[in-house]
Structures are given as structure tokens and as C-alpha cells.
Amino acid sequence: MRRIGAAVSGRALARAALLEAVKLGCSHVYVEVIAAQDALVAMFQDIGFEPEALLVDFVRDSDGENRDLMLLTHRVDVNQARNRLWGMDEVAG
């Protein structure tokens, strides 16, 4: 049960950060995530982020293993329909 709550909280936090970026006038927002974190990548894709780059063996985890880093971008103008559903169109002007 806690895991579901954490996912909901993570989605709410990501959405709130995206909304704040739009309020500040950002035309796009990007995040960097470990590519193997499928649930995290999927969550960002669900709110309109798209993969832009994959940096192979770019970061080292606490066990000393190299991991791929994925860059995902949310372009405000491309996601206008989704932004309207979230009430962000008024903020973006």
C-alpha cells in the first residue's frame, strides 16, 4: 500500500513542478532519470515527457555499477491539449 501512495505522491510532485515551470514561462522542462527505472520513466511519459537522449553507462550507482541515464523533455507547446486538461493553458498564456 505504501508503494502506491509513494507513486501517487511522486506523480503529484512531478505535476506540481511542471505546473510551476509553466507559470515561470518555461517553454520546455527536462528530467534526467536512470533508464532502468521503468516505472519512473513511464510516469514522466504519462504526463507528457518524451525521451530525448540516452547516455550509456553515464552514472555510477552506490554499488559501483554503471547505469544508463535517460533525458526526457516536456515541450509545453507540443502538449497544449494535455496542458488544458490540467488547467495550465491559462498560466502559460
Side-chain angles (χ1 to χ4, degrees), residues 18-83:
L18 181 57
L19 179 58
E20 189 61 31
V22 172
K23 285 180 185 177
L24 292 171
C26 295
S27 61
H28 63 280
V29 178
Y30 77 92
V31 295
E32 298 172 347
V33 299
I34 301 300
Q37 294 179 322
D38 295 332
L40 185 59
V41 171
M43 182 207 63
F44 279 111
Q45 288 180 313
D46 286 347
I47 60 174
F49 284 79
E50 305 234 353
E52 291 283 341
L54 181 66
L55 305 172
V56 177
D57 292 338
F58 195 75
V59 296
R60 185 169 294 153
D61 66 16
S62 60
D63 295 327
E65 297 292 323
N66 289 333
R67 304 290 178 190
D68 297 345
L69 186 72
M70 183 179 286
L71 175 67
L72 297 117
T73 303
H74 182 283
R75 298 184 186 279
V76 175
D77 58 343
V78 172
N79 287 286
Q80 289 202 355
R82 180 175 281 141
N83 295 344

